[in-house]
Amino acid sequence: SRPVIYAITPTFARPVQKAELTRLAQTFLHVSNFHWIVVEDAPQKTALVSRFLETSGLIYTHLSVATPPNYKLGRNDPNWKKPRGVEQRNAALRWLRENLKLSNKGVVYFADDDNTYSVKLFHEMEKIQRVGVWPVGLVGGLMIEKPICDNVTNKVMGFNAAWKPDRPFPLDMAGFAINLELLLKHTDAWFSYDVQGGYQESEILRQIVTKDQLEPLADCCTKVYVWHTRTEPPQLNVEQMLIKKGKRSNAGIEV
Ligand code: UDP
Ligand code: MN
């Protein structure tokens, strides 16, 4: 039978949040064997995300855990300063380990809320025995960051990464997925604050897999099925003035 795809999405409140979640949900609805684990970066689950998930039509688990204040990015901090999603992804790993057994066939994917996913990506993941890898579009200063796949042996020979190419696994979070069995067996594999910027992917992978075990997918890493899109924060300068006058444009309407 087909494995369940467990997609772990850290998310936080901001003007574009519901738009991001809507884009993701409407992609995920096309994947039948799908379970969405949404982890809010918040001390409590919010009404917006709770309502959104209830009416989404998806199978989901809703969790929340706040990033500790000392690790939270400040408004004007560049985003490489601190890792994002560490607390949330670890909460999801804990949930998987507490709620699933080795008899549950599954694949675990870290699906950030601002990326763009093709349905084709989720079909590829069904083939994963240990860790599957594939190209990611629009990341690391390149059009494509990808494993280099030998098309005779169908093995990963290296990586084309330009950004921090010395990382043990120079992959983006969107560029791999893990067989659930590996995460259930390696109960001490976690994301960590105690690593250099950009090393979260390497941190989790080095604990569960070796480079020669990676399984190249997406036609020997020649197809792009996920894009590291980033959503521009909206200009809300007029709204700020309305708020001061107590007349917001969205009074009583969820955006
Ligand atoms: N995120 C979060 N709390 C934050 C900032 C980000 O939970 O304070 C989430 C965000 O919604 C996304 C993931 O963490 O799902 C990665 O963040 P981002 O997309 O900003 O990272 P980047 O694209 O820069 O790697
Ligand atoms: Mn992102």
Side-chain angles (χ1 to χ4, degrees):
S1 64
R2 296 160 71 200
V4 176
I5 309 296
Y6 295 92
I8 296 170
T9 301
T11 186
F12 68 112
R14 60 205 191 280
V16 301
Q17 185 179 31
K18 195 177 180 185
E20 305 279 39
L21 295 177
T22 299
R23 190 182 66 257
L24 262 56
Q26 298 196 352
T27 301
F28 299 161
L29 280 167
H30 292 285
V31 187
S32 58
N33 49 332
F34 191 88
H35 184 136
W36 199 8
I37 303 179
V38 177
V39 193
E40 290 194 68
D41 183 353
Q44 264 108 40
K45 297 174 204 178
T46 65
L48 184 148
V49 176
S50 302
R51 273 195 300 264
F52 177 83
L53 289 171
E54 279 162 26
T55 56
S56 68
L58 288 161
I59 295 169
Y60 67 89
T61 295
H62 185 189
L63 307 172
S64 75
V65 57
T67 301
N70 49 321
Y71 290 115
K72 190 84 181 165
L73 272 184
R75 186 185 286 266
N76 296 315
D77 282 343
N79 72 347
W80 45 261
K81 251 188 136 171
K82 287 170 188 161
R84 294 161 302 289
V86 170
E87 212 72 33
Q88 292 74 32
R89 294 188 191 104
N90 280 342
L93 290 178
R94 195 169 304 117
W95 184 89
L96 292 172
R97 288 167 182 153
E98 286 173 0
N99 291 278
L100 299 176
K101 298 192 281 286
L102 286 170
S103 56
N104 293 102
K105 295 299 158 212
V107 170
V108 178
Y109 183 52
F110 299 102
D112 288 355
D113 67 358
D114 56 344
N115 295 337
T116 305
Y117 305 93
S118 166
V119 175
K120 290 179 182 147
L121 182 66
F122 301 98
H123 297 321
E124 287 295 302
M125 287 180 200
E126 294 180 8
K127 305 173 191 165
I128 294 173
Q129 302 297 312
R130 286 193 182 90
V131 173
V133 295
W134 47 77
V136 177
L138 315 178
V139 73
L142 297 171
M143 285 298 285
I144 306 181
E145 200 181 77
K146 67 177 180 66
I148 297 161
C149 177
D150 182 301
N151 53 19
V152 178
T153 59
N154 201 47
K155 284 272 180 193
V156 174
M157 309 303 291
F159 302 86
N160 80 331
W163 186 73
K164 301 196 180 180
D166 294 334
R167 289 175 288 165
F169 293 86
L171 293 166
D172 185 73
M173 201 61 78
F176 65 92
I178 303 170
N179 194 306
L180 174 64
E181 187 185 348
L182 267 191
L183 289 171
L184 295 183
K185 284 185 173 164
H186 293 82
T187 50
D188 46 6
W190 302 103
F191 293 95
S192 168
Y193 289 111
D194 211 15
V195 297
Q196 296 176 57
Y199 278 62
Q200 290 301 326
E201 297 85 351
S202 294
E203 182 60 14
I204 194 74
L205 289 172
R206 69 166 185 82
Q207 299 172 76
I208 58 172
V209 78
T210 58
K211 270 194 236 185
D212 57 294
Q213 292 172 331
L214 296 176
E215 297 152 40
L217 295 172
D219 284 350
C220 206
C221 297
T222 60
K223 298 283 194 326
V224 176
Y225 296 146
V226 56
W227 298 262
H228 187 261
T229 45
R230 308 194 78 236
T231 304
E232 185 178 8
Q235 281 295 339
L236 295 169
N237 48 330
V238 181
E239 198 70 50
Q240 301 306 338
M241 291 164 58
L242 290 177
I243 289 169
K244 282 184 200 140
K245 297 183 203 152
K247 295 169 135 196
R248 46 174 68 239
S249 68
N250 58 320
I253 304 180
E254 188 177 275
V255 183

